[in-house]
């Protein structure tokens, strides 16, 4: 799974006058670091994501790692961002076929469930870290906005997920989408604890989606 992860934008801006090759090199280096962190977390949780170990596995100097990611939580956030990138790519390749907003939202969340549960230790590590995070993370808002776009049917014939205009995203709708995403996170944690089955999660998410996003 980790070899197919899409890399996100390089947070370390290229130096003035840097060539395209230099930028690509930074992009590839960042990708190796994130993949190394995800691989370690998938085997031993966030505790296994020691910065020195990540640097060694990625083949970079420890100082280089800290320039890209000043803390372990910054690294966790980057891994989570890639998980969302993968989910968005999946939706663009195969948009939800449901004819209702609730059905499309459920499709997104159950795809995310299947993807994360292929590596339950990684899923558990990421979710618990985000809940305890003292830094701002993109997970909740990115997932909520993805749900908004897909529930509203904002995918073209080519599968590309269209960004909703500010006029389309009301504060109420965003709050409802965030609530649905929060319910999903809770149910996923319960599944990781052995208190929910996949079918349990699907039925509960379907019920929540029918109440929260049915009129999108």
């Amino acid at each position: 799974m980790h070899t197919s992860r899409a890399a996100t934008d390089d947070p370390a801006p290229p130096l003035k006058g840097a060539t395209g090759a230099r930028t690509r090199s930074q992009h590839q280096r960042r990708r190796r670091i994130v993949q190394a962190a995800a691989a370690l977390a998938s085997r031993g949780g966030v505790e296994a994501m020691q910065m020195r170990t990540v640097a060694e596995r990625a083949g970079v100097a420890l100082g280089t790692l800290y320039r890209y990611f000043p803390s372990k939580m910054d690294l966790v956030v980057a891994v989570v961002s890639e998980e969302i990138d993968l989910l968005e790519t999946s939706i663009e390749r195969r948009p939800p076929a449901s004819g209702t907003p609730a059905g499309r939202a459920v499709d997104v969340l159950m795809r995310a469930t299947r993807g994360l549960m292929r590596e339950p230790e990684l899923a558990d590590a990421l979710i618990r870290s985000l809940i305890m995070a003292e830094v701002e993370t993109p997970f909740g808002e990115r997932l909520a906005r993805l749900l908004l776009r897909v529930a509203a049917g904002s995918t073209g014939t080519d599968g590309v997920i269209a960004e909703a205009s500010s006029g389309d995203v009301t504060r109420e709708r965003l709050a409802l989408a965030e609530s649905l995403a929060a319910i999903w996170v809770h149910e996923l944690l319960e599944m990781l604890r052995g208190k929910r089955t996949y079918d349990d999660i699907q039925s509960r998410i379907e019920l929540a989606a029918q109440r929260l996003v049915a009129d999108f």
Side-chain angles (χ1 to χ4, degrees):
M1 177 176 177
H2 300 306
T3 57
S4 65
R5 290 176 185 275
T8 52
D9 293 337
D10 193 331
L15 298 175
K16 184 177 181 180
T19 64
R22 174 69 175 273
T23 302
R24 286 194 299 273
S25 176
Q26 291 176 330
H27 190 76
Q28 291 166 357
R29 188 179 300 118
R30 184 183 189 280
R31 184 180 184 185
R32 290 202 312 273
I33 292 171
V34 175
Q35 288 177 342
L40 289 167
S42 70
R43 292 173 175 82
V46 171
E47 294 75 14
M49 285 173 54
Q50 299 301 318
M51 299 297 270
R52 186 174 298 279
T53 306
V54 172
E56 291 173 354
R57 187 181 182 99
V60 301
L62 185 59
T64 299
L65 171 60
Y66 277 109
R67 282 198 296 274
Y68 282 88
F69 303 102
S71 70
K72 182 188 290 189
M73 184 50 62
D74 291 313
L75 197 49
V76 169
V77 170
V79 174
V80 172
S81 293
E82 286 212 354
E83 293 294 336
I84 299 178
D85 290 342
L86 288 174
L87 180 60
E88 289 181 338
T89 298
S90 168
I91 293 167
E92 288 175 355
R93 289 176 177 170
R94 184 169 57 87
S98 175
T100 67
R104 291 190 291 271
V106 171
D107 184 291
V108 170
L109 293 174
M110 297 317 295
R111 278 197 223 183
T113 302
R114 291 192 295 272
L116 286 171
M117 293 312 296
R118 292 189 186 102
E119 298 180 62
E121 282 198 43
L122 176 60
D124 186 69
L126 295 178
I127 291 174
R128 290 181 189 279
S129 294
L130 290 175
I131 290 174
M132 300 298 292
E134 296 181 357
V135 299
E136 184 177 351
T137 65
F139 180 74
E141 184 173 349
R142 278 195 66 186
L143 183 57
R145 289 187 177 277
L146 175 60
L147 287 172
L148 275 175
R149 299 196 299 273
V150 175
S154 300
T155 52
T157 56
D158 57 358
V160 175
I161 305 170
E163 288 289 343
S165 67
S166 58
D168 294 332
V169 180
T170 64
R171 185 172 299 178
E172 180 182 359
R173 285 194 170 191
L174 182 58
L176 290 171
E178 287 175 340
S179 296
L180 181 57
I183 290 170
W184 172 74
V185 169
H186 171 76
E187 293 300 325
L188 190 61
L189 275 174
E190 292 295 279
M191 184 177 184
L192 290 165
R193 294 182 181 123
K195 297 182 178 180
R196 298 275 193 274
T197 65
Y198 179 88
D199 290 339
D200 290 336
I201 289 184
Q202 181 161 351
S203 64
R204 286 168 176 264
I205 292 299
E206 286 174 349
L207 181 61
Q210 288 166 7
R211 300 291 191 275
L212 294 171
V213 301
D215 63 343
F216 276 25

